[in-house]
Amino acid sequence: MNLEKRLVLSEKQLDKNNLAIENEVCHVRSEGFSIFYGANEAIKSVDITIPRQKVTAIIGPSGCGKSTFLRGINRMNDLIPSCFTRGRLLYKDENIYGQYTDPVLLRKQIGMVFQKPNPFPKSIFENIAYGPRLHSMKRRAELFDLVEESLRRAALWDEVKDRMNDNALGLSGGQQQRLCIARALAVDPDILLMDEPTSALDPRATAHIEDLIGELRGQYTIIIVTHNMQQAARVSDYTAFFYEGVLVEFAPTSELFTNPGRKKTEEYITGRFG
Ligand SMILES: Nc1ncnc2c1ncn2[C@@H]1O[C@H](COP(=O)(O)OP(=O)(O)O)[C@@H](O)[C@H]1O
Ligand SMILES: [Mg+2]
């Protein structure tokens, strides 16, 4: 097939995919959004509309910018001195990088879970109570209910209800990760960012987290980075494929994996590089 024909075909594909996405309520949107580390443009002029209360997976080979883009959404990159952005990134139509946006408040609304579970070296209770206290959300009595509620949502309550004063570091890796999810949920976020949340876990703990994502779908907007394409296919409604900082394709997950619109996507999902 010649290049022109192929381009026309992929434009059609994009139209179809964009139509599916346009029917969703938008939650995070970017326009010509770039992220630099000094002179290195790690994210290159990305236009994306991430739908509300769906699971969006971000896939692509190592170093393509998945973590950089994810961290850009709640301004975790602010902590890196060489890092700056260009273009626009909007959360509910507000500029995430606007001069009046408070990053602390933003991170309450847009929580994050990391690759390696990182509970505080404190009791299970304190891990969950910390955030709500910080945002002075609750009185003491209400705090107990909130801790229980958050642990229930993270499917951890039954396993830890009798050991709330134990140190969180005594939990298994999978339990620690669910604790980190509960900690993020305790401040009542809108969006949950997850950066390869199962890559440090065994298959059983991984399945547990994937089930949990299934339960949280529809209540939160979840954006999950994964290098595992089967995982993306299992847990997500939409998938974004990045390559060398460029958003190559964004489409409903079933569409992207069965009928990719771009040659690069096809090469990646069929394992020709990675
Ligand atoms: N803290 C940092 N300082 C400078 N460059 C970075 C930093 N973090 C990532 N990069 C660079 O940005 C690019 C994308 O990295 P990253 O977002 O970690 O990719 P991925 O998560 O897809 O593996 C890479 O070239 C990487 O070297
Ligand atoms: Mg990464």
Side-chain angles (χ1 to χ4, degrees):
M1 204 187 300
N2 68 35
L3 182 65
E4 204 175 314
K5 228 179 185 172
R6 213 160 56 208
L7 276 180
V8 170
L9 268 184
S10 48
E11 287 309 324
K12 265 194 196 142
Q13 181 78 48
L14 271 186
D15 276 356
K16 195 164 64 167
N17 291 337
N18 280 338
L19 205 66
I21 292 159
E22 267 167 28
N23 289 330
E24 301 280 7
V25 181
C26 152
H27 213 179
V28 173
R29 186 158 53 94
S30 75
E31 293 162 355
F33 183 65
S34 293
I35 302 178
F36 295 79
Y37 296 108
N40 175 20
E41 189 173 4
I43 288 296
K44 299 187 176 94
S45 194
V46 165
D47 295 310
I48 193 170
T49 298
I50 295 176
R52 188 159 175 270
Q53 296 186 345
K54 300 281 163 153
V55 180
T56 294
I58 298 179
I59 63 167
S62 179
C64 72
K66 301 182 295 297
S67 296
T68 297
F69 184 72
L70 196 74
R71 289 195 305 254
I73 299 172
N74 72 347
R75 289 185 48 176
M76 291 296 277
N77 295 320
D78 283 12
L79 312 172
I80 303 167
S82 69
C83 190
F84 65 97
T85 66
R86 198 170 64 197
R88 298 214 305 165
L89 183 63
L90 307 170
Y91 159 57
K92 292 199 297 199
D93 287 331
E94 271 191 57
N95 190 352
I96 288 174
Y97 289 86
Q99 58 174 322
Y100 300 112
T101 301
D102 173 2
V104 175
L105 200 59
L106 185 77
R107 289 181 203 127
K108 177 187 167 302
Q109 292 162 311
I110 309 180
M112 189 155 196
V113 174
F114 299 86
Q115 202 160 338
K116 210 170 151 288
N118 60 348
F120 306 129
K122 288 174 183 284
S123 71
I124 293 169
F125 180 86
E126 283 303 320
N127 263 274
I128 310 299
Y130 179 81
R133 233 186 245 134
L134 190 71
H135 293 284
S136 47
M137 283 166 67
K138 297 280 168 186
R139 295 175 187 286
R140 195 172 157 72
E142 290 172 314
L143 206 53
F144 286 92
D145 291 342
L146 180 66
V147 168
E148 175 175 341
E149 161 82 13
S150 306
L151 288 166
R152 281 189 190 281
R153 283 184 180 223
L156 187 61
W157 173 249
D158 288 337
E159 290 161 63
V160 301
K161 61 173 185 252
D162 299 323
R163 45 197 287 212
M164 296 299 287
N165 293 318
D166 291 5
N167 195 304
L169 299 179
L171 296 170
S172 73
Q175 289 173 325
Q176 288 188 15
Q177 196 61 303
R178 277 179 282 140
L179 185 76
C180 292
I181 293 172
R183 184 174 65 187
L185 298 181
V187 295
D188 195 23
D190 242 5
I191 301 180
L192 216 48
L193 308 175
M194 299 183 168
D195 195 349
E196 307 204 20
T198 64
S199 64
L201 304 182
D202 64 38
R204 212 171 132 246
T206 296
H208 222 130
I209 299 281
E210 289 184 5
D211 287 349
L212 175 58
I213 292 170
E215 281 161 34
L216 298 176
R217 153 192 275 133
Q219 302 174 56
Y220 303 93
T221 298
I222 297 177
I223 309 174
I224 176 173
V225 166
T226 175
H227 62 253
N228 179 334
M229 282 183 271
Q230 283 78 25
Q231 180 167 75
R234 280 194 299 267
V235 304
S236 71
D237 303 294
Y238 292 92
T239 298
F241 168 56
F242 279 82
Y243 182 72
E244 292 181 349
V246 174
L247 175 63
V248 175
E249 187 166 354
F250 180 54
T253 297
S254 54
E255 191 82 35
L256 188 131
F257 283 104
T258 56
N259 189 15
R262 301 274 164 173
K263 187 140 204 308
K264 205 84 209 166
T265 314
E266 189 193 331
E267 286 173 358
Y268 183 67
I269 64 173
T270 55
R272 253 171 282 173
F273 66 92

